[in-house]
Amino acid sequence: MNLLDVHNLLNFIWGETLRINEELARKLKPLGFKVEPVEEVFNAYIYLDGEWREMLYPHPAFEIKPGGEVGATLQGFYFVFGILKEKITEEFVEEFIQKFKKSYIYGSENFLEDFYNYQHPKEPDRVFEEIKGSEEELINFEVGELTVKELERYLFDFIELVKKYRLFDL
């Protein structure tokens, strides 16, 4: 293990998360979102070698209200938004899976069991049926392993998708 590489990666993800936080705060305010300051997030999980693994170390992230989080892990940048199950449609699920190739869909309570995982894809209609049949009230839609440039572009694409299906009151 090269400690300098680890040091440089951690500085990069923290530095870029702080920068992105300031930039998104300016850009998202006119759209009705509130961007909170960057925090240290503990007790998160990362998908490695085919399974979710607990991260005992903190990573940088910040909330985007309503319902979202942006952050960075060792894999790259990500965003995730929780959407009420009752508002989710099959068309939304299908379009989300088509637009965002490195995505996950999971519940807020039982978050270690995916409804959708791009590494083990399923048909959108099956994903939708599993969501509707679950006990979950809030479903997380995550797009991850992004570069800095991809993060902003995909985040704004996701916001457009959310607006299209009227999933948030903005």
Side-chain angles (χ1 to χ4, degrees):
M1 172 174 39
N2 183 325
L3 292 181
L4 182 57
D5 288 344
V6 173
H7 170 77
N8 288 337
L9 176 60
L10 291 172
N11 273 345
F12 173 74
I13 65 174
W14 277 91
E16 285 300 297
T17 302
L18 290 164
R19 185 189 64 75
I20 291 166
N21 176 263
E22 291 178 11
E23 191 173 305
L24 289 176
R26 286 191 305 274
K27 291 180 177 181
L28 291 175
K29 186 176 182 179
L31 300 177
F33 291 93
K34 182 178 181 197
V35 176
E36 297 291 334
V38 174
E39 297 180 342
E40 299 170 343
V41 176
F42 288 90
N43 301 320
Y45 286 78
I46 189 169
Y47 196 78
L48 297 172
D49 295 329
E51 67 182 87
W52 288 103
R53 298 174 187 265
E54 186 175 12
M55 298 166 45
L56 298 177
Y57 51 89
H59 71 281
F62 56 91
E63 287 184 64
I64 296 179
K65 294 181 178 179
E69 178 181 284
V70 170
T73 68
L74 300 176
Q75 289 178 310
F77 295 86
Y78 72 89
F79 64 85
V80 59
F81 280 80
I83 299 174
L84 290 172
K85 178 173 79 172
E86 64 195 36
K87 291 187 172 191
I88 297 168
T89 65
E90 187 173 345
E91 294 79 16
F92 171 74
V93 170
E94 183 174 358
E95 198 166 340
F96 174 82
I97 290 170
Q98 288 174 352
K99 281 185 183 261
F100 305 105
K101 300 304 178 199
K102 292 184 178 178
S103 62
Y104 305 93
I105 303 172
Y106 51 91
S108 62
E109 294 296 321
N110 193 4
F111 54 86
L112 294 179
E113 289 188 28
D114 303 314
F115 295 113
Y116 181 80
N117 181 324
Y118 81 94
Q119 295 184 36
H120 308 285
K122 293 187 249 182
E123 291 300 316
D125 60 337
R126 184 170 163 214
V127 174
F128 179 72
E129 288 305 316
E130 289 179 14
I131 289 170
K132 287 301 181 188
S134 77
E135 298 289 322
E136 298 284 349
E137 293 180 27
L138 192 67
I139 307 298
N140 292 312
F141 289 79
E142 180 173 336
V143 179
E145 301 171 42
L146 302 171
T147 66
V148 174
K149 289 180 182 179
E150 289 173 329
L151 174 69
E152 186 172 331
R153 183 180 53 180
Y154 291 159
L155 177 61
F156 281 91
D157 287 348
F158 180 80
I159 289 169
E160 287 303 312
L161 188 62
V162 165
K163 284 180 172 178
K164 177 180 176 180
Y165 290 95
R166 296 184 173 112
L167 299 176
F168 288 137
D169 297 326
L170 295 173

